[in-house]
């Protein structure tokens, strides 16, 4: 026969162990992800430098105004879908692809 004191002690132990046992799978998964990420970062930082012949350097490429990269006469686009509103794109007069710039210079 189980006494009330033993039953209360068993229930208290089960309740006390409930949260650690629920968090254990999440903790294990998170630890493994962090371990894999640390190994990837370590291998990236320890990698050899690129050979000089892999990088093309152009003489006179430095700019007087300090611009490192200049892109001229270009258009950028991506698929546009509006998920927040219930209206269709055709009702708003939009096309499926919206340009990011109108051909202006981008610096």
């Amino acid at each position: 026969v189980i006494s009330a004191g033993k039953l209360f002690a068993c229930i208290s132990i089960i309740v006390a162990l409930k949260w650690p046992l629920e968090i254990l799978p999440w903790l294990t998964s998170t630890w493994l992800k962090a371990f894999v990420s640390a190994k990837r970062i370590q291998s990236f930082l320890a990698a050899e430098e690129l050979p000089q012949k892999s990088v093309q350097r152009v003489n006179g490429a430095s700019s007087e105004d300090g611009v490192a990269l200049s892109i001229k006469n270009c258009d950028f686009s991506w698929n546009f879908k509006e998920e927040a509103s219930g209206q269709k794109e055709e009702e708003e007069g939009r096309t499926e692809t919206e340009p990011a710039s109108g051909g202006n210079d981008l610096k």
Side-chain angles (χ1 to χ4, degrees):
V1 176
I2 298 176
S3 67
K6 288 182 181 180
L7 182 64
F8 180 73
C10 289
I11 291 174
S12 296
I13 290 172
I14 291 171
V15 170
L17 292 176
K18 182 181 176 186
W19 183 77
L21 291 176
E22 287 177 353
I23 201 78
L24 186 63
W26 175 82
L27 182 65
T28 304
S29 172
T30 303
W31 184 84
L32 286 173
K33 288 178 186 177
F35 182 75
V36 169
S37 296
K39 285 295 212 179
R40 288 179 179 171
I41 291 171
Q42 181 183 10
S43 66
F44 174 75
L45 293 176
E48 294 290 325
E49 294 290 328
L50 286 175
Q52 287 294 334
K53 62 182 178 181
S54 297
V55 179
Q56 180 183 6
R57 303 196 188 279
V58 179
N59 291 334
S62 63
S63 176
E64 294 174 2
D65 57 357
V67 176
L69 175 68
S70 178
I71 302 172
K72 297 180 180 181
N73 299 326
C74 60
D75 290 322
F76 297 96
S77 63
W78 56 90
N79 289 337
F80 178 81
K81 291 187 179 184
E82 187 171 334
E83 297 177 11
S85 71
Q87 298 176 352
K88 294 183 179 178
E89 294 175 7
E90 295 83 28
E91 293 174 356
E92 297 177 5
R94 289 194 205 127
T95 60
E96 187 172 344
T97 304
E98 291 283 330
S101 66
N104 296 335
D105 292 348
L106 176 66
K107 288 187 178 182

